[in-house]
Amino acid sequence: QGRLVDSGGGLVLPGGSLRLSCTASGILFSIYTMDWYRQAPGKQRELVARIYRNESTNVADSVKGRFTISRDNAKNTVYLQMNSLKPEDTAVYYCHAWYFSDTYWSQGTQVTVPS
């Protein structure tokens, strides 16, 4: 059974940076597409960034130029580097792995950027 464990969230001032990590176990990590989602209070969960098995990436327009997704298949880990953080980036961030219908979610890590 697969499992995702994320970390790296916290409180950061506007303009600051954080790097989230998500480590997978129990799955063949290299074949999975990996996503970072976020959910702010009272809002729907939204896709922030995606990295495919071939390492091509997509990022949401709202974070383009500020957030970068990457993966290290040797460490079974996906990262989200977040720079120039804004109060509107405040949310719980979730890691998601999927390969066809096989999907897994992390428990979520809180990122808070005070206004």
Side-chain angles (χ1 to χ4, degrees), residues 3-95:
R3 185 180 180 215
L4 302 177
V5 177
D6 55 27
S7 63
L11 175 69
V12 61
L13 295 177
S17 298
L18 282 175
R19 188 176 80 156
L20 306 183
S21 301
C22 173
T23 299
S25 60
I27 64 172
L28 185 57
F29 179 79
S30 61
I31 69 172
Y32 281 72
T33 298
M34 300 300 299
D35 303 326
W36 284 101
Y37 280 79
R38 68 185 181 186
Q39 188 165 19
K43 295 189 176 181
Q44 288 189 325
R45 192 172 295 191
E46 63 171 346
L47 178 62
V48 175
R50 172 170 289 166
I51 185 164
Y52 296 91
R53 56 187 295 182
N54 67 359
E55 303 203 12
S56 63
T57 63
N58 292 318
V59 295
D61 287 344
S62 58
V63 304
K64 198 164 289 184
R66 300 188 298 121
F67 290 11
T68 303
I69 188 170
S70 61
R71 65 191 298 162
D72 184 339
N73 289 338
K75 296 182 178 180
N76 287 359
T77 299
V78 62
Y79 303 98
L80 185 68
Q81 179 66 44
M82 305 186 294
N83 299 328
S84 303
L85 282 160
K86 304 175 181 180
E88 51 263 44
D89 296 318
T90 295
V92 178
Y93 284 71
Y94 299 90
C95 172

